[in-house]
Amino acid sequence: MEHTAETSVIEDDWSLLSAIQPIPSINFERLMTYRLARIREQLRLRSIPACVLISPISQRYAADIRCWPLFQAHVPMTYLYIAAEGPVINFGSADSTNPAGFSVIDEARPARSLDYFSGGPRMQEDAVLFAAELRALLRETTDENQIAVEYVNPSATQALMNAGLRVVDAQPLMEHARVVKSEDEIECMKWSIAVAEHGVAKIAEVLRPGVRENQLWGLLNYANLANDGDWHETRLLSSGPRTNPWFQEASDRRIEAGDLVGFDTDMIGPFGYCCDLSRTLHCGPVAPTQAQRDLYKRSYDEILANTALLKAGRSFRELSEQGTRQPERFQRYSQLMHAVGLCDEYPRIPFWKDWNNKGYEGELEAGTIMCVESYLGEYGGREGVKLEEQVLITKEGIEVLTQYPFEDKLLA
């Protein structure tokens, strides 16, 4: 296929493979031991003897299982059994891909089919066998009949209940387990951010009139995959009039001179950790308009003000109540801020206007990493600005982990 200069403007950019600082040295045994201990702590706090993990995020956190995660998300080929006082058993693939070769998995067994693609008409029969095997495992370590399970079809839940087990949701315990990050997790996160910011720098480098949104988005994906990252949760990159309203994904639109270009990385990067960074760039060679500068400055100030609210021990309600409130003429983002780890995580802090419908009580803990969000676009306006910072809560204060600079010419 013949390519014109316009369509091949950012192809074969091998510099994406360079200019990355050395990969950090991570103590994987300590990392994985910590994460498994966090899960077992939550099981004990809830008096639950065992859990079954289906989500690829949960399996990566618990045992560094990295097998076909996007396929696993809709066709569950594996499931992980973790006892509060007992073994870790991987049903399905025993794959563990951490470089040190350390594994917390005690045993591997064949998996039962938990979806129609795998089991077809036999799915119900497999669900009965699945339930019987879990009941037998519980009897080896406890007299209790309670088990926490996440993301299974109703047939599996019904089979577990018919086997005499009391089924509870494993998602709350997993979300709370992941809240407080260890030093090793923070190093993993910093590396994922460095890779994402390398990709963002390449976007800024090639941004000019005629480049397509999809080409820019491809650079970020390339940087991630070339540095052993995984996937992007969204395709949020838009330009010009497609930046208002927000949540429009990358298209084949050609960027024009003077456009704003906004994006949200939503990147599940190296070691499985998420870089959730947003920036809005300006495409030259023309200068930004005063309206673009005003909108950008308002969003930038919102990020700074809401970041300053972060402190260990501060209540979720207090954060929501004190968060920036913009005039009603502006569209805003879907939330004020949220935690992040291997993906977007608990807690999620709504705007005060939404507290009664979406808010819940709690306090920020040291070791939590929060993403401070801002999107502003006037109703009926041409463009919008999306910004986001990733911030570590420490006992002493905060550390802003995302270092990619804001757009000076929009702040001038």
Side-chain angles (χ1 to χ4, degrees):
M1 179 179 177
E2 184 177 345
H3 296 276
T4 66
E6 280 188 312
T7 59
S8 61
V9 67
I10 57 175
E11 290 179 1
D12 300 326
D13 186 358
W14 295 107
S15 63
L16 277 166
L17 299 177
S18 62
I20 289 281
Q21 54 195 297
I23 297 174
S25 177
I26 304 297
N27 186 327
F28 281 95
E29 181 173 352
R30 184 174 61 194
L31 171 73
M32 295 171 65
T33 300
Y34 171 84
R35 296 192 308 202
L36 180 59
R38 289 281 300 177
I39 296 171
R40 285 180 162 149
E41 178 185 26
Q42 289 297 318
L43 285 169
R44 295 185 188 106
L45 284 172
R46 290 167 167 75
S47 299
I48 301 172
C51 63
V52 177
L53 305 180
I54 306 290
S55 162
I57 298 293
S58 296
Q59 292 188 6
R60 184 78 188 264
Y61 182 83
D64 202 39
I65 295 171
R66 195 184 175 187
C67 293
W68 49 73
L70 297 184
F71 190 76
Q72 169 74 14
H74 62 94
V75 181
M77 303 291 287
T78 71
Y79 46 95
L80 192 67
Y81 175 89
I82 299 177
E85 309 291 342
V88 176
I89 301 175
N90 189 23
F91 290 85
S93 170
D95 181 72
S96 180
T97 56
N98 71 81
F102 176 79
S103 178
V104 297
I105 297 171
D106 298 304
E107 183 183 349
R109 298 186 185 182
R112 306 294 179 182
S113 298
L114 297 180
D115 63 280
Y116 200 80
F117 173 79
S118 305
R122 296 189 52 172
M123 189 173 70
Q124 186 64 49
E125 178 184 339
D126 279 342
V128 172
L129 296 172
F130 165 77
E133 190 159 17
L134 293 183
R135 181 174 174 81
L137 277 171
L138 276 176
R139 284 175 172 169
E140 292 176 9
T141 56
T142 181
D143 292 331
E144 298 183 47
N145 66 347
Q146 183 175 221
I147 192 164
V149 184
E150 62 174 7
Y151 303 120
V152 291
N153 288 324
S155 58
T157 302
Q158 291 165 4
L160 289 166
M161 295 172 67
N162 290 339
L165 298 176
R166 187 160 72 91
V167 180
V168 297
D169 192 347
Q171 192 173 7
L173 74 89
M174 288 304 300
E175 289 282 348
H176 283 270
R178 299 205 306 266
V179 167
V180 178
K181 275 62 178 180
S182 69
E183 291 182 12
D184 296 302
E185 288 187 278
I186 293 166
E187 288 304 309
C188 289
M189 181 74 78
K190 288 179 177 179
W191 175 242
S192 184
I193 290 170
V195 169
E197 291 183 339
H198 182 56
V200 171
K202 291 299 174 181
I203 289 175
E205 183 181 319
V206 305
L207 176 59
R208 55 186 177 271
V211 172
R212 298 181 187 273
E213 292 173 0
N214 278 331
Q215 291 179 301
L216 296 181
W217 186 246
L219 283 174
L220 188 63
N221 282 256
Y222 181 26
N224 189 23
L225 294 174
N227 290 281
D228 201 29
D230 286 338
W231 72 88
H232 293 259
E233 300 269 64
T234 64
R235 289 167 45 90
L236 290 174
L237 184 148
S238 54
S239 61
R242 298 188 69 253
T243 60
N244 187 353
W246 188 241
F247 291 119
Q248 300 185 62
E249 298 197 319
S251 74
D252 264 346
R253 180 184 186 270
R254 291 188 188 278
I255 293 161
E256 299 175 4
D259 278 350
L260 294 180
V261 180
F263 55 86
D264 190 339
T265 60
D266 289 323
M267 187 187 96
I268 311 303
F271 308 125
Y273 282 85
C274 179
C275 174
D276 198 2
L277 163 72
S278 295
R279 289 291 185 267
T280 296
L281 309 178
H282 178 266
C283 180
V286 299
T289 66
Q290 189 59 49
Q292 288 174 329
R293 291 193 182 101
D294 291 345
L295 192 60
Y296 191 93
K297 181 64 162 56
R298 182 180 287 272
S299 181
Y300 174 77
D301 287 345
E302 181 176 69
I303 287 285
L304 294 185
N306 291 338
T307 298
L309 298 175
L310 296 173
K311 181 180 179 182
R314 181 149 286 173
S315 74
F316 300 165
R317 177 184 284 271
E318 187 180 6
L319 289 168
S320 179
E321 184 176 22
Q322 295 182 11
T324 301
R325 305 185 193 188
Q326 299 289 354
E328 290 297 319
R329 72 178 185 273
F330 289 105
Q331 301 174 63
R332 54 184 168 82
Y333 196 64
S334 56
Q335 60 207 303
L336 190 71
M337 57 185 71
H338 62 85
V340 68
L342 273 72
C343 59
D344 286 5
E345 296 179 349
Y346 166 91
R348 177 182 186 270
I349 312 299
F351 287 95
W352 182 244
K353 186 176 181 179
D354 302 325
W355 178 264
N356 289 337
N357 295 325
K358 300 179 179 179
Y360 45 77
E361 302 292 348
E363 291 184 353
L364 285 184
E365 297 181 66
T368 304
I369 298 176
M370 298 294 291
C371 289
V372 182
E373 302 266 14
S374 174
Y375 171 76
L376 291 175
E378 289 200 51
Y379 287 99
R382 182 180 185 273
E383 293 177 294
V385 170
K386 177 68 170 71
L387 300 174
E388 182 179 10
E389 290 278 67
Q390 207 157 322
V391 183
L392 170 66
I393 313 299
T394 70
K395 293 179 181 178
E396 295 77 26
I398 63 170
E399 178 185 353
V400 179
L401 300 180
T402 39
Q403 296 296 310
Y404 194 84
F406 292 94
E407 194 84 327
D408 284 341
K409 60 183 175 179
L410 286 167
L411 287 172

